[in-house]
Amino acid sequence: MAMSFFDQFMSPTYLGIPLMALALTLPWILFPTPTTRWLDNRLLTLQNWSINRFTQQLLLPINVGGHKWALILTSLMLFLITINMLGLLPYTFTPTTQLSLNMGLAVPLWLATVIIGLRNQPTVALGHLLPEGTPAPLIPVLIIIETISLFIRPLALGVRLTANLTAGHLLIQLIATAAFVLLPLMPAVAILTATLLFLLTLLEVAVAMIQAYVFVLLLSLYLQENV
């Protein structure tokens, strides 16, 4: 019986127990623990330098009030990159291909930025729903449109991450299947297909990192509007 290509996106279970929590917890073990010594090894030095550079670039356009989000945004970036990259390994599961997980990350963080805006500057936050100088007949229509666009933001965050990773995994599986099928029939074509598979894998590695960065970057832009 042929398995569906979408079976790879099913949440793994063992003895009927979902392993989603385990898949979300294990990646943190891969990060070396910082020490209190003056000198660290090369891995820790590279990790600290990259985290500092990313945090600096991420918080550069945000006001001082939004710098409290540095820890959660940086942790989310590392978390998404790690599970996206681990999902490219054979016989692994990518949790971020599940829309439920991505929406569970996007909705609370987006809602927190909206609540912060309504609490700190309610006039400015509500002013985003109606651009200045709008003609009176268009006011109700624009308020409805801006409200809908506001509530679509978390959906766009979750769907973008899910769709990009799912499409990449499907393409890799389709091309890998074609290479295995063509190997005994047309070896030259199979080699070309395998070369394309290698290039696509490199592209998917870049997509895994870029999508994690875009997810956090959009959250920082939403935060910038409300602080």
Side-chain angles (χ1 to χ4, degrees):
M1 179 179 179
M3 296 180 63
S4 171
F5 285 130
F6 290 92
D7 287 343
Q8 61 177 316
F9 304 115
M10 295 176 60
S11 179
T13 58
Y14 182 73
L15 298 177
I17 302 174
L19 299 181
M20 174 67 83
L22 188 62
L24 296 177
T25 306
L26 285 180
W28 292 112
I29 302 176
L30 301 177
F31 291 98
T33 305
T35 63
T36 57
R37 295 179 299 180
W38 283 97
L39 295 177
D40 292 324
N41 55 36
R42 292 182 176 88
L43 182 59
L44 271 174
T45 303
L46 178 62
Q47 175 180 297
N48 295 334
W49 176 82
S50 59
I51 290 176
N52 290 335
R53 291 296 299 172
F54 167 74
T55 306
Q56 180 183 357
Q57 293 297 323
L58 185 67
L59 299 180
L60 190 61
I62 303 179
N63 297 333
V64 179
H67 291 183
K68 301 175 183 178
W69 284 59
L71 180 61
I72 188 172
L73 292 179
T74 306
S75 301
L76 180 63
M77 172 74 175
L78 291 175
F79 175 69
L80 290 177
I81 285 182
T82 306
I83 58 179
N84 289 350
M85 298 289 287
L86 289 178
L88 295 174
L89 298 176
Y91 304 104
T92 56
F93 168 69
T94 311
T96 45
T97 56
Q98 304 291 320
L99 183 60
S100 56
L101 172 67
N102 297 332
M103 293 302 296
L105 293 174
V107 172
L109 294 172
W110 163 83
L111 188 59
T113 62
V114 174
I115 292 175
I116 287 176
L118 292 175
R119 185 189 64 180
N120 295 341
Q121 43 183 10
T123 305
V124 177
L126 294 176
H128 289 306
L129 301 178
L130 185 63
E132 186 177 357
T134 304
L138 296 179
I139 289 179
V141 179
L142 281 181
I143 291 178
I144 294 174
I145 293 175
E146 292 296 329
T147 304
I148 293 175
S149 66
L150 178 65
F151 282 96
I152 283 179
R153 285 180 174 182
L155 182 62
L157 279 176
V159 171
R160 179 186 292 107
L161 184 58
T162 304
N164 282 281
L165 294 179
T166 302
H169 283 61
L170 280 177
L171 279 175
I172 288 177
Q173 185 169 1
L174 286 170
I175 296 178
T177 304
F180 277 111
V181 171
L182 292 173
L183 186 59
L185 301 176
M186 292 179 288
V189 179
I191 293 175
L192 291 177
T193 307
T195 305
L196 178 62
L197 177 62
F198 175 74
L199 295 176
L200 182 61
T201 304
L202 295 180
L203 177 63
E204 190 63 19
V205 170
V207 169
M209 294 187 290
I210 291 172
Q211 288 304 316
Y213 176 72
V214 169
F215 190 92
V216 177
L217 179 63
L218 290 177
L219 278 176
S220 67
L221 293 179
Y222 300 157
L223 178 64
Q224 180 184 353
E225 293 181 359
N226 294 281
V227 294

